[in-house]
């Protein structure tokens, strides 16, 4: 049995929509079950892998300071 992956794309700012479109084109040839926009800790806990688009480093730093 082949495992399918649930892929998250960090969707706080940046070009996350383009990353989601690219993943959707791969979905037919890769073992990807779901692609979701990740904005919360709860959503992060549901994915097998996370893509962090360029431009997110400032947002990550700001969020890390709050936690």
């Amino acid at each position: 049995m082949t495992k399918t992956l649930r892929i998250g794309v960090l969707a706080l700012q940046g070009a996350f929509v383009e990353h989601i479109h690219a993943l959707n084109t791969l979905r037919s040839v890769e073992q990807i079950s779901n692609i979701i926009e990740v904005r919360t800790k709860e959503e992060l806990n549901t994915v097998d892998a996370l893509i962090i688009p360029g431009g997110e480093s400032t947002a990550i730093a700001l969020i890390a300071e709050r936690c």
Side-chain angles (χ1 to χ4, degrees):
M1 182 173 155
T2 304
K3 178 177 171 38
T4 60
L5 297 175
R6 184 172 166 92
I7 306 293
V9 178
L10 190 61
L12 301 176
Q13 69 174 30
F16 63 89
V17 172
E18 290 83 352
H19 285 75
I20 292 170
H21 288 302
L23 286 168
N24 277 320
T25 63
L26 290 174
R27 185 183 247 171
S28 62
V29 294
E30 297 295 330
Q31 300 301 319
I32 300 172
S33 62
N34 281 327
I35 301 162
I36 67 162
E37 295 176 10
V38 174
R39 292 189 175 93
T40 67
K41 179 173 70 170
E42 292 76 24
E43 291 167 337
L44 178 61
N45 289 330
T46 69
V47 298
D48 298 305
L50 179 68
I51 294 175
I52 302 173
E56 295 286 357
S57 59
T58 302
I60 292 169
L62 293 171
I63 291 168
E65 288 176 9
R66 290 185 213 157
C67 295

